[in-house]
Amino acid sequence: VMSSSKSLNESLGNFETLFTQYPTPFPLSDFLQRSCAWLGCVDEITVKLQSKFTSQVAVPTREGVRTQLANAKGSKNRMLKHATSTDKISATSAGGAGGGSAPSSPNASTFKPISETNSSLESLAVQILCAYWEAYFDYFHEGCKLLLRVKVQVDEYKKQSADLANVAKMRTKKIKIFGTSLAELAQREAPKSVPQFLDDMLKFLEKWADDTEGIFRISGSKVQIDSMKESMDNGVVPDFNPRNMDANTVSSLFKLYLRSLPDPVIPLNMYYTFLAVTREITTDPDVRAGQVQDIVNLIRDMPVPHRVLLIRIMGICRRVMINRTVTKMDATNIATVLGPNMVKRPQLKKVPTTGAVGGGADGGDDDQPMVAENSGLPFGDTSIIKILMDLAGDILDIINAPGSEIAVEASMHIAP
C-alpha cells in the first residue's frame, strides 16, 4: 500500500510539468496533491490500526465468543443433567410408595440456587461479549476520527467544483452584454467584481479621459460605436487601444452601456435613499463631514458590482475635473451628461387589488399599494450625480483611507 502511494506521488510530479503548461481555472493539481496526502493518511491509519485490530479486537472477540459458547453449553448440560436426575428419583419414589421409607428428592428450594447461579453466569457472559463487540466499534470509530479531517477537506472541494461548474455552465451560454444586468454579467466572471470588458473600458478611460477635451460630452464615431456594440453582443470584445479608437468613442460606448443597464449604477431600490441623503448636503463643514460619511455608508451598502463601478467612475471624473482646463468639464457638466446614464427615477406603479373595502371590484385607487419599477425614461435625476461629483474627493479619500470598511477589490485601480 505504501509503495502504491509513493508511485502516485511520482506520477503527480510528472503531471506537474504538464499542468504548468496547460493550466485550468480549477486547482486540479492542488487537489491531486491533497489526494496523495490523503492516501498517505489512510496508509498510516491502516498500518497503525492493523496490529491493534488483530491483537485487541478480532482475536479476543473470536476467542471470547468461543469460550462463552463453551461455558453456555456446559451450563445447559449441567441443568439438563440435574433435571434428568430429578425425574428418575421422582419415578423411583412413586414405585416404592407401598412399603418402606422412600429416599428424599430435590425440591424447588434445591433447584432455585442452581437456576439463579446459571442466570448470573449468562448475564456476565453477555456483558463480556458486549465489551468485545464494543471494541469493534471503538476500532472503527478511531479510524473515522482520523479520517474526519479528510472528509471536511473533500466536502470543501466538492462545493468549489460545483460552484465552478455552475459558472462554467453560465459562461457557455451566449448572452448579450448590452441590456443584461451588471450582477448577471459579473456572476459569469466570478470572482471578478466587474466583467472583463467593462474593466478594459474603465482602464482606458482612467488613462486617457483626463487628457481629452469634452470627455463624456463630445460623441465619438457612431459607426465605430455601433460596430463595437454589435461585436460585444456577439461575444467579441474589442481591443481598447488608443491606436484603434479615441477617448470620446470609448466614453460614448461606455455611456451607451450604462444606459442599457436594467438596474442602473445607482440601483433603483436605493434611488430615494441617495436622493434624500444628497439633498441634505450643507456648506457647514462640521455637518458636511457627517453627511459625506452617510454617502460613503450608502456606497458601502450597494451590491458589489455597482459599488465598484461607481467608485471607479468617481475616480475617473475626479481626475477629469482636476484637469478641467484641458477637459472643459466640471461637476455640473459631468452630472448633465453622465447623470441620465447612471440614475433612473423609479416609477410608482399601482398594484390592482380585488375586494378592497370601499374600492369596488377593482379595489379602488385610494387603497392600492405602490411599488417602484424602472420607468424606462431616457433621463433621470442628475442632482444625485452632481453632489457625488462635488464630493468625489472627500468620498474617495474616505474609501481609500487605511482600514476603510468598504471592501474593494485589491486589484482594482482607483484614480487618485
Side-chain angles (χ1 to χ4, degrees), residues 293-321:
Q293 185 60 56
D294 290 340
I295 294 176
V296 172
N297 293 338
L298 275 181
I299 295 174
R300 178 196 59 202
D301 293 338
M302 293 172 68
V304 173
H306 291 254
R307 180 175 75 222
V308 173
L309 178 55
L310 176 60
I311 292 173
R312 294 186 71 172
I313 291 174
M314 291 176 65
I316 294 169
C317 293
R318 181 185 188 184
R319 295 181 60 179
V320 168
M321 291 183 292

PDB file of all heavy atoms in Angstrom, residues 293-321:
ATOM      1  N   GLN A 293     -19.938  61.107   5.201  1.00  0.00           N
ATOM      2  CA  GLN A 293     -19.850  59.747   5.727  1.00  0.00           C
ATOM      3  C   GLN A 293     -21.138  58.974   5.465  1.00  0.00           C
ATOM      4  O   GLN A 293     -21.107  57.766   5.190  1.00  0.00           O
ATOM      5  CB  GLN A 293     -19.555  59.775   7.226  1.00  0.00           C
ATOM      6  CG  GLN A 293     -19.331  58.396   7.856  1.00  0.00           C
ATOM      7  CD  GLN A 293     -18.163  57.656   7.240  1.00  0.00           C
ATOM      8  OE1 GLN A 293     -17.043  58.160   7.215  1.00  0.00           O
ATOM      9  NE2 GLN A 293     -18.414  56.447   6.740  1.00  0.00           N
ATOM     10  N   ASP A 294     -22.276  59.654   5.521  1.00  0.00           N
ATOM     11  CA  ASP A 294     -23.553  58.999   5.208  1.00  0.00           C
ATOM     12  C   ASP A 294     -23.564  58.491   3.766  1.00  0.00           C
ATOM     13  O   ASP A 294     -24.065  57.394   3.479  1.00  0.00           O
ATOM     14  CB  ASP A 294     -24.723  59.964   5.421  1.00  0.00           C
ATOM     15  CG  ASP A 294     -24.964  60.262   6.901  1.00  0.00           C
ATOM     16  OD1 ASP A 294     -24.509  59.466   7.748  1.00  0.00           O
ATOM     17  OD2 ASP A 294     -25.591  61.301   7.195  1.00  0.00           O
ATOM     18  N   ILE A 295     -23.010  59.287   2.855  1.00  0.00           N
ATOM     19  CA  ILE A 295     -22.943  58.867   1.454  1.00  0.00           C
ATOM     20  C   ILE A 295     -22.016  57.673   1.304  1.00  0.00           C
ATOM     21  O   ILE A 295     -22.314  56.720   0.581  1.00  0.00           O
ATOM     22  CB  ILE A 295     -22.475  60.042   0.564  1.00  0.00           C
ATOM     23  CG1 ILE A 295     -23.525  61.154   0.573  1.00  0.00           C
ATOM     24  CG2 ILE A 295     -22.218  59.552  -0.859  1.00  0.00           C
ATOM     25  CD1 ILE A 295     -23.115  62.394  -0.198  1.00  0.00           C
ATOM     26  N   VAL A 296     -20.882  57.722   2.005  1.00  0.00           N
ATOM     27  CA  VAL A 296     -19.941  56.584   1.967  1.00  0.00           C
ATOM     28  C   VAL A 296     -20.626  55.315   2.467  1.00  0.00           C
ATOM     29  O   VAL A 296     -20.447  54.229   1.909  1.00  0.00           O
ATOM     30  CB  VAL A 296     -18.678  56.892   2.802  1.00  0.00           C
ATOM     31  CG1 VAL A 296     -17.800  55.646   2.928  1.00  0.00           C
ATOM     32  CG2 VAL A 296     -17.890  58.030   2.174  1.00  0.00           C
ATOM     33  N   ASN A 297     -21.413  55.445   3.520  1.00  0.00           N
ATOM     34  CA  ASN A 297     -22.133  54.283   4.056  1.00  0.00           C
ATOM     35  C   ASN A 297     -23.122  53.731   3.034  1.00  0.00           C
ATOM     36  O   ASN A 297     -23.308  52.509   2.924  1.00  0.00           O
ATOM     37  CB  ASN A 297     -22.864  54.659   5.343  1.00  0.00           C
ATOM     38  CG  ASN A 297     -21.903  54.985   6.471  1.00  0.00           C
ATOM     39  OD1 ASN A 297     -20.741  54.569   6.451  1.00  0.00           O
ATOM     40  ND2 ASN A 297     -22.376  55.721   7.467  1.00  0.00           N
ATOM     41  N   LEU A 298     -23.778  54.625   2.291  1.00  0.00           N
ATOM     42  CA  LEU A 298     -24.699  54.181   1.242  1.00  0.00           C
ATOM     43  C   LEU A 298     -23.946  53.415   0.151  1.00  0.00           C
ATOM     44  O   LEU A 298     -24.408  52.370  -0.327  1.00  0.00           O
ATOM     45  CB  LEU A 298     -25.415  55.376   0.623  1.00  0.00           C
ATOM     46  CG  LEU A 298     -26.671  55.894   1.323  1.00  0.00           C
ATOM     47  CD1 LEU A 298     -27.260  57.062   0.537  1.00  0.00           C
ATOM     48  CD2 LEU A 298     -27.702  54.792   1.463  1.00  0.00           C
ATOM     49  N   ILE A 299     -22.802  53.940  -0.235  1.00  0.00           N
ATOM     50  CA  ILE A 299     -21.997  53.263  -1.256  1.00  0.00           C
ATOM     51  C   ILE A 299     -21.562  51.892  -0.762  1.00  0.00           C
ATOM     52  O   ILE A 299     -21.567  50.915  -1.508  1.00  0.00           O
ATOM     53  CB  ILE A 299     -20.775  54.132  -1.625  1.00  0.00           C
ATOM     54  CG1 ILE A 299     -21.236  55.431  -2.299  1.00  0.00           C
ATOM     55  CG2 ILE A 299     -19.816  53.370  -2.533  1.00  0.00           C
ATOM     56  CD1 ILE A 299     -20.117  56.424  -2.577  1.00  0.00           C
ATOM     57  N   ARG A 300     -21.225  51.817   0.502  1.00  0.00           N
ATOM     58  CA  ARG A 300     -20.824  50.528   1.090  1.00  0.00           C
ATOM     59  C   ARG A 300     -21.949  49.505   1.011  1.00  0.00           C
ATOM     60  O   ARG A 300     -21.701  48.315   0.827  1.00  0.00           O
ATOM     61  CB  ARG A 300     -20.430  50.744   2.555  1.00  0.00           C
ATOM     62  CG  ARG A 300     -20.038  49.466   3.306  1.00  0.00           C
ATOM     63  CD  ARG A 300     -20.061  49.712   4.804  1.00  0.00           C
ATOM     64  NE  ARG A 300     -21.387  50.140   5.237  1.00  0.00           N
ATOM     65  CZ  ARG A 300     -21.627  50.810   6.359  1.00  0.00           C
ATOM     66  NH1 ARG A 300     -20.627  51.173   7.134  1.00  0.00           N
ATOM     67  NH2 ARG A 300     -22.863  51.132   6.682  1.00  0.00           N
ATOM     68  N   ASP A 301     -23.197  49.979   1.109  1.00  0.00           N
ATOM     69  CA  ASP A 301     -24.343  49.066   1.115  1.00  0.00           C
ATOM     70  C   ASP A 301     -24.788  48.653  -0.288  1.00  0.00           C
ATOM     71  O   ASP A 301     -25.685  47.816  -0.430  1.00  0.00           O
ATOM     72  CB  ASP A 301     -25.526  49.707   1.844  1.00  0.00           C
ATOM     73  CG  ASP A 301     -25.248  49.895   3.334  1.00  0.00           C
ATOM     74  OD1 ASP A 301     -24.374  49.173   3.857  1.00  0.00           O
ATOM     75  OD2 ASP A 301     -25.884  50.757   3.961  1.00  0.00           O
ATOM     76  N   MET A 302     -24.187  49.214  -1.316  1.00  0.00           N
ATOM     77  CA  MET A 302     -24.573  48.854  -2.684  1.00  0.00           C
ATOM     78  C   MET A 302     -24.093  47.449  -3.022  1.00  0.00           C
ATOM     79  O   MET A 302     -23.134  46.952  -2.438  1.00  0.00           O
ATOM     80  CB  MET A 302     -23.954  49.855  -3.680  1.00  0.00           C
ATOM     81  CG  MET A 302     -24.491  51.264  -3.588  1.00  0.00           C
ATOM     82  SD  MET A 302     -23.552  52.428  -4.621  1.00  0.00           S
ATOM     83  CE  MET A 302     -23.999  51.845  -6.269  1.00  0.00           C
ATOM     84  N   PRO A 303     -24.755  46.773  -3.973  1.00  0.00           N
ATOM     85  CA  PRO A 303     -24.230  45.486  -4.455  1.00  0.00           C
ATOM     86  C   PRO A 303     -22.808  45.667  -4.966  1.00  0.00           C
ATOM     87  O   PRO A 303     -22.477  46.721  -5.535  1.00  0.00           O
ATOM     88  CB  PRO A 303     -25.199  45.111  -5.586  1.00  0.00           C
ATOM     89  CG  PRO A 303     -26.448  45.869  -5.293  1.00  0.00           C
ATOM     90  CD  PRO A 303     -26.022  47.150  -4.644  1.00  0.00           C
ATOM     91  N   VAL A 304     -21.963  44.689  -4.764  1.00  0.00           N
ATOM     92  CA  VAL A 304     -20.534  44.840  -5.063  1.00  0.00           C
ATOM     93  C   VAL A 304     -20.253  45.335  -6.480  1.00  0.00           C
ATOM     94  O   VAL A 304     -19.488  46.295  -6.656  1.00  0.00           O
ATOM     95  CB  VAL A 304     -19.790  43.515  -4.788  1.00  0.00           C
ATOM     96  CG1 VAL A 304     -18.331  43.610  -5.254  1.00  0.00           C
ATOM     97  CG2 VAL A 304     -19.844  43.180  -3.307  1.00  0.00           C
ATOM     98  N   PRO A 305     -20.845  44.741  -7.544  1.00  0.00           N
ATOM     99  CA  PRO A 305     -20.531  45.249  -8.888  1.00  0.00           C
ATOM    100  C   PRO A 305     -20.905  46.715  -9.071  1.00  0.00           C
ATOM    101  O   PRO A 305     -20.154  47.484  -9.679  1.00  0.00           O
ATOM    102  CB  PRO A 305     -21.361  44.345  -9.813  1.00  0.00           C
ATOM    103  CG  PRO A 305     -21.620  43.113  -9.018  1.00  0.00           C
ATOM    104  CD  PRO A 305     -21.749  43.578  -7.613  1.00  0.00           C
ATOM    105  N   HIS A 306     -22.036  47.123  -8.548  1.00  0.00           N
ATOM    106  CA  HIS A 306     -22.474  48.518  -8.650  1.00  0.00           C
ATOM    107  C   HIS A 306     -21.545  49.423  -7.834  1.00  0.00           C
ATOM    108  O   HIS A 306     -21.212  50.535  -8.267  1.00  0.00           O
ATOM    109  CB  HIS A 306     -23.921  48.661  -8.155  1.00  0.00           C
ATOM    110  CG  HIS A 306     -24.927  48.008  -9.041  1.00  0.00           C
ATOM    111  ND1 HIS A 306     -25.763  48.719  -9.868  1.00  0.00           N
ATOM    112  CD2 HIS A 306     -25.244  46.698  -9.250  1.00  0.00           C
ATOM    113  CE1 HIS A 306     -26.539  47.887 -10.537  1.00  0.00           C
ATOM    114  NE2 HIS A 306     -26.236  46.646 -10.174  1.00  0.00           N
ATOM    115  N   ARG A 307     -21.168  48.966  -6.667  1.00  0.00           N
ATOM    116  CA  ARG A 307     -20.290  49.765  -5.808  1.00  0.00           C
ATOM    117  C   ARG A 307     -18.934  49.999  -6.467  1.00  0.00           C
ATOM    118  O   ARG A 307     -18.442  51.136  -6.519  1.00  0.00           O
ATOM    119  CB  ARG A 307     -20.102  49.047  -4.465  1.00  0.00           C
ATOM    120  CG  ARG A 307     -19.194  49.799  -3.506  1.00  0.00           C
ATOM    121  CD  ARG A 307     -19.149  49.117  -2.165  1.00  0.00           C
ATOM    122  NE  ARG A 307     -18.346  47.914  -2.188  1.00  0.00           N
ATOM    123  CZ  ARG A 307     -18.677  46.774  -1.595  1.00  0.00           C
ATOM    124  NH1 ARG A 307     -19.834  46.671  -0.978  1.00  0.00           N
ATOM    125  NH2 ARG A 307     -17.879  45.737  -1.629  1.00  0.00           N
ATOM    126  N   VAL A 308     -18.340  48.923  -6.967  1.00  0.00           N
ATOM    127  CA  VAL A 308     -17.021  49.045  -7.600  1.00  0.00           C
ATOM    128  C   VAL A 308     -17.100  49.949  -8.830  1.00  0.00           C
ATOM    129  O   VAL A 308     -16.235  50.804  -9.050  1.00  0.00           O
ATOM    130  CB  VAL A 308     -16.472  47.658  -7.971  1.00  0.00           C
ATOM    131  CG1 VAL A 308     -15.191  47.775  -8.793  1.00  0.00           C
ATOM    132  CG2 VAL A 308     -16.215  46.830  -6.710  1.00  0.00           C
ATOM    133  N   LEU A 309     -18.146  49.773  -9.635  1.00  0.00           N
ATOM    134  CA  LEU A 309     -18.309  50.590 -10.839  1.00  0.00           C
ATOM    135  C   LEU A 309     -18.456  52.066 -10.479  1.00  0.00           C
ATOM    136  O   LEU A 309     -17.824  52.942 -11.095  1.00  0.00           O
ATOM    137  CB  LEU A 309     -19.517  50.107 -11.638  1.00  0.00           C
ATOM    138  CG  LEU A 309     -19.852  50.889 -12.910  1.00  0.00           C
ATOM    139  CD1 LEU A 309     -18.650  50.955 -13.849  1.00  0.00           C
ATOM    140  CD2 LEU A 309     -21.063  50.275 -13.614  1.00  0.00           C
ATOM    141  N   LEU A 310     -19.287  52.385  -9.488  1.00  0.00           N
ATOM    142  CA  LEU A 310     -19.485  53.783  -9.096  1.00  0.00           C
ATOM    143  C   LEU A 310     -18.186  54.405  -8.600  1.00  0.00           C
ATOM    144  O   LEU A 310     -17.846  55.548  -8.959  1.00  0.00           O
ATOM    145  CB  LEU A 310     -20.560  53.867  -8.009  1.00  0.00           C
ATOM    146  CG  LEU A 310     -20.808  55.272  -7.430  1.00  0.00           C
ATOM    147  CD1 LEU A 310     -21.262  56.237  -8.519  1.00  0.00           C
ATOM    148  CD2 LEU A 310     -21.824  55.219  -6.292  1.00  0.00           C
ATOM    149  N   ILE A 311     -17.441  53.660  -7.786  1.00  0.00           N
ATOM    150  CA  ILE A 311     -16.191  54.196  -7.248  1.00  0.00           C
ATOM    151  C   ILE A 311     -15.194  54.478  -8.367  1.00  0.00           C
ATOM    152  O   ILE A 311     -14.512  55.510  -8.376  1.00  0.00           O
ATOM    153  CB  ILE A 311     -15.595  53.214  -6.213  1.00  0.00           C
ATOM    154  CG1 ILE A 311     -16.493  53.164  -4.973  1.00  0.00           C
ATOM    155  CG2 ILE A 311     -14.182  53.624  -5.825  1.00  0.00           C
ATOM    156  CD1 ILE A 311     -16.087  52.109  -3.965  1.00  0.00           C
ATOM    157  N   ARG A 312     -15.136  53.592  -9.335  1.00  0.00           N
ATOM    158  CA  ARG A 312     -14.193  53.800 -10.435  1.00  0.00           C
ATOM    159  C   ARG A 312     -14.623  54.956 -11.335  1.00  0.00           C
ATOM    160  O   ARG A 312     -13.788  55.728 -11.825  1.00  0.00           O
ATOM    161  CB  ARG A 312     -14.036  52.500 -11.228  1.00  0.00           C
ATOM    162  CG  ARG A 312     -13.374  51.412 -10.405  1.00  0.00           C
ATOM    163  CD  ARG A 312     -13.077  50.160 -11.190  1.00  0.00           C
ATOM    164  NE  ARG A 312     -12.006  50.342 -12.148  1.00  0.00           N
ATOM    165  CZ  ARG A 312     -11.464  49.353 -12.839  1.00  0.00           C
ATOM    166  NH1 ARG A 312     -11.907  48.104 -12.671  1.00  0.00           N
ATOM    167  NH2 ARG A 312     -10.495  49.586 -13.689  1.00  0.00           N
ATOM    168  N   ILE A 313     -15.917  55.122 -11.543  1.00  0.00           N
ATOM    169  CA  ILE A 313     -16.410  56.272 -12.314  1.00  0.00           C
ATOM    170  C   ILE A 313     -16.067  57.576 -11.597  1.00  0.00           C
ATOM    171  O   ILE A 313     -15.607  58.545 -12.206  1.00  0.00           O
ATOM    172  CB  ILE A 313     -17.935  56.167 -12.543  1.00  0.00           C
ATOM    173  CG1 ILE A 313     -18.253  55.001 -13.499  1.00  0.00           C
ATOM    174  CG2 ILE A 313     -18.485  57.471 -13.109  1.00  0.00           C
ATOM    175  CD1 ILE A 313     -19.733  54.740 -13.669  1.00  0.00           C
ATOM    176  N   MET A 314     -16.267  57.566 -10.268  1.00  0.00           N
ATOM    177  CA  MET A 314     -15.942  58.768  -9.497  1.00  0.00           C
ATOM    178  C   MET A 314     -14.450  59.078  -9.560  1.00  0.00           C
ATOM    179  O   MET A 314     -14.041  60.244  -9.615  1.00  0.00           O
ATOM    180  CB  MET A 314     -16.395  58.588  -8.047  1.00  0.00           C
ATOM    181  CG  MET A 314     -17.907  58.570  -7.877  1.00  0.00           C
ATOM    182  SD  MET A 314     -18.402  58.247  -6.164  1.00  0.00           S
ATOM    183  CE  MET A 314     -17.769  59.704  -5.359  1.00  0.00           C
ATOM    184  N   GLY A 315     -13.603  58.043  -9.556  1.00  0.00           N
ATOM    185  CA  GLY A 315     -12.167  58.250  -9.661  1.00  0.00           C
ATOM    186  C   GLY A 315     -11.782  58.874 -10.984  1.00  0.00           C
ATOM    187  O   GLY A 315     -10.948  59.791 -11.046  1.00  0.00           O
ATOM    188  N   ILE A 316     -12.390  58.403 -12.069  1.00  0.00           N
ATOM    189  CA  ILE A 316     -12.126  58.962 -13.401  1.00  0.00           C
ATOM    190  C   ILE A 316     -12.573  60.420 -13.461  1.00  0.00           C
ATOM    191  O   ILE A 316     -11.839  61.305 -13.918  1.00  0.00           O
ATOM    192  CB  ILE A 316     -12.848  58.131 -14.486  1.00  0.00           C
ATOM    193  CG1 ILE A 316     -12.236  56.718 -14.561  1.00  0.00           C
ATOM    194  CG2 ILE A 316     -12.774  58.824 -15.843  1.00  0.00           C
ATOM    195  CD1 ILE A 316     -13.055  55.751 -15.404  1.00  0.00           C
ATOM    196  N   CYS A 317     -13.803  60.652 -12.990  1.00  0.00           N
ATOM    197  CA  CYS A 317     -14.351  62.012 -13.061  1.00  0.00           C
ATOM    198  C   CYS A 317     -13.585  62.977 -12.165  1.00  0.00           C
ATOM    199  O   CYS A 317     -13.466  64.174 -12.482  1.00  0.00           O
ATOM    200  CB  CYS A 317     -15.829  61.992 -12.683  1.00  0.00           C
ATOM    201  SG  CYS A 317     -16.865  61.117 -13.887  1.00  0.00           S
ATOM    202  N   ARG A 318     -13.074  62.486 -11.070  1.00  0.00           N
ATOM    203  CA  ARG A 318     -12.280  63.348 -10.187  1.00  0.00           C
ATOM    204  C   ARG A 318     -11.059  63.880 -10.941  1.00  0.00           C
ATOM    205  O   ARG A 318     -10.742  65.075 -10.869  1.00  0.00           O
ATOM    206  CB  ARG A 318     -11.848  62.555  -8.954  1.00  0.00           C
ATOM    207  CG  ARG A 318     -11.044  63.362  -7.947  1.00  0.00           C
ATOM    208  CD  ARG A 318     -10.552  62.465  -6.827  1.00  0.00           C
ATOM    209  NE  ARG A 318      -9.944  63.224  -5.740  1.00  0.00           N
ATOM    210  CZ  ARG A 318      -9.361  62.669  -4.684  1.00  0.00           C
ATOM    211  NH1 ARG A 318      -9.343  61.341  -4.579  1.00  0.00           N
ATOM    212  NH2 ARG A 318      -8.822  63.404  -3.752  1.00  0.00           N
ATOM    213  N   ARG A 319     -10.385  63.018 -11.665  1.00  0.00           N
ATOM    214  CA  ARG A 319      -9.215  63.452 -12.433  1.00  0.00           C
ATOM    215  C   ARG A 319      -9.621  64.370 -13.581  1.00  0.00           C
ATOM    216  O   ARG A 319      -8.906  65.329 -13.904  1.00  0.00           O
ATOM    217  CB  ARG A 319      -8.468  62.229 -12.968  1.00  0.00           C
ATOM    218  CG  ARG A 319      -7.870  61.361 -11.876  1.00  0.00           C
ATOM    219  CD  ARG A 319      -7.115  60.181 -12.444  1.00  0.00           C
ATOM    220  NE  ARG A 319      -6.008  60.606 -13.294  1.00  0.00           N
ATOM    221  CZ  ARG A 319      -5.182  59.762 -13.893  1.00  0.00           C
ATOM    222  NH1 ARG A 319      -5.360  58.456 -13.756  1.00  0.00           N
ATOM    223  NH2 ARG A 319      -4.198  60.224 -14.650  1.00  0.00           N
ATOM    224  N   VAL A 320     -10.760  64.068 -14.203  1.00  0.00           N
ATOM    225  CA  VAL A 320     -11.250  64.930 -15.292  1.00  0.00           C
ATOM    226  C   VAL A 320     -11.524  66.336 -14.771  1.00  0.00           C
ATOM    227  O   VAL A 320     -11.185  67.338 -15.424  1.00  0.00           O
ATOM    228  CB  VAL A 320     -12.526  64.323 -15.920  1.00  0.00           C
ATOM    229  CG1 VAL A 320     -13.216  65.328 -16.833  1.00  0.00           C
ATOM    230  CG2 VAL A 320     -12.184  63.052 -16.692  1.00  0.00           C
ATOM    231  N   MET A 321     -12.124  66.435 -13.581  1.00  0.00           N
ATOM    232  CA  MET A 321     -12.442  67.752 -13.020  1.00  0.00           C
ATOM    233  C   MET A 321     -11.192  68.483 -12.561  1.00  0.00           C
ATOM    234  O   MET A 321     -11.100  69.707 -12.684  1.00  0.00           O
ATOM    235  CB  MET A 321     -13.429  67.589 -11.854  1.00  0.00           C
ATOM    236  CG  MET A 321     -14.818  67.139 -12.298  1.00  0.00           C
ATOM    237  SD  MET A 321     -16.005  67.045 -10.928  1.00  0.00           S
ATOM    238  CE  MET A 321     -15.355  65.658  -9.981  1.00  0.00           C
TER     239      MET A 321
END
